[in-house]
């Protein structure tokens, strides 16, 4: 898998985190808070991709899995992307009205958000492990760093961006992931 595809996957995966980060930025947007959210989200994206990779490696030697690996990748990315598109369409951009934004986000709340925004990275990691055409440390690093940067910007600029971009972030990320799934299927 080429570096551009990995970067696009990282961008698509980070859109959930961006949407949540911009909503959090509506409430509080200082540098310390932005770094906390970005570190948490980036770490969990990196960790989930890695765990998924090693899980996928366990199944990679099964004949069924190797025969249909492109279809499996297409299916996983389409499901994740479709869920993100649905969520993006359903989202009215009212994150300022959300109770999670109004109340203080503590340590455990941040951890829960980090895990929740990175579940899809687990499925992508499984594909990476089955496909074996990616160096997991480079891919996980790119996913983690991309999520860190995008989450930091989301929180830090949340007051400016939240009302305008948060509702489109998941939609854009879903479209990117579906497009990559189609590309993998056709290759």
């Amino acid at each position: 898998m080429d570096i551009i595809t990995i970067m696009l996957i990282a961008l698509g995966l980070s859109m959930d985190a961006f949407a949540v980060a911009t909503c959090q930025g509506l409430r509080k947007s200082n540098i310390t808070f932005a770094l906390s959210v970005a570190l948490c989200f980036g770490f969990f994206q990196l960790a989930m991709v890695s765990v998924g990779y090693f899980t996928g490696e366990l199944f990679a030697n099964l004949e069924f899995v190797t025969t249909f690996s492109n279809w499996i990748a297409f299916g996983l990315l389409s499901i994740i992307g479709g869920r993100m598109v649905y969520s993006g369409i359903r989202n009215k951009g009212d994150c300022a009205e959300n109770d999670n934004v109004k109340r203080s986000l503590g340590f455990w709340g941040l951890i829960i958000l980090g895990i929740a925004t990175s579940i899809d990275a687990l499925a992508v990691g499984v594909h990476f492990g089955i496909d074996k055409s990616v160096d997991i440390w480079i891919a996980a690093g790119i996913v983690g760093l991309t999520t860190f940067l995008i989450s930091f910007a989301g929180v830090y600029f949340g007051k400016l961006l939240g009302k305008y971009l948060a509702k489109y972030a998941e939609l854009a990320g879903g479209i990117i992931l579906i497009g990559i799934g189609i590309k993998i299927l056709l290759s």
Side-chain angles (χ1 to χ4, degrees):
M1 186 173 298
D2 62 274
I3 197 81
I4 300 296
T5 302
I6 293 170
M7 291 173 81
L8 287 172
I9 288 173
L11 183 64
L13 288 175
S14 68
M15 290 296 110
D16 271 354
F18 176 76
V20 172
T22 53
C23 287
Q24 292 301 317
L26 284 170
R27 180 180 60 81
K28 184 176 178 182
S29 63
N30 65 48
I31 289 178
T32 305
F33 184 67
L35 280 173
S36 298
V37 171
L39 281 170
C40 181
F41 289 5
F43 169 77
F44 278 107
Q45 289 278 8
L46 182 145
M48 291 291 204
V49 167
S50 300
V51 168
Y53 177 85
F54 294 114
T55 303
E57 270 192 332
L58 296 174
F59 298 103
N61 295 327
L62 300 174
E63 186 176 334
F64 171 80
V65 172
T66 56
T67 302
F68 296 103
S69 65
N70 285 359
W71 282 98
I72 293 169
F74 169 72
L76 287 172
L77 291 171
S78 294
I79 290 168
I80 294 165
R83 183 191 59 80
M84 289 175 72
V85 167
Y86 175 75
S87 181
I89 290 170
R90 189 182 53 160
N91 180 7
K92 307 245 187 301
D94 296 333
C95 57
E97 303 299 319
N98 189 329
D99 286 340
N100 291 331
V101 174
K102 289 179 181 175
R103 66 177 177 236
S104 175
L105 181 66
F107 175 78
W108 292 111
L110 184 60
I111 297 298
I112 290 168
L113 285 177
I115 293 168
T117 59
S118 62
I119 296 295
D120 49 357
L122 183 69
V124 170
V126 168
H127 163 66
F128 286 165
I130 292 169
D131 188 36
K132 294 186 179 180
S133 67
V134 63
D135 180 332
I136 187 54
W137 305 118
I138 291 173
I142 289 171
V143 169
L145 181 62
T146 301
T147 303
F148 171 84
L149 294 172
I150 285 177
S151 297
F152 180 84
V155 172
Y156 193 71
F157 298 110
K159 292 219 186 285
L160 289 170
L161 301 175
K163 294 180 181 179
Y164 306 107
L165 296 181
K167 90 180 216 182
Y168 300 109
E170 283 187 293
L171 182 63
I175 291 169
I176 290 169
L177 291 179
I178 291 169
I180 291 168
I182 292 169
K183 178 185 179 258
I184 289 170
L185 184 63
L186 297 176
S187 65

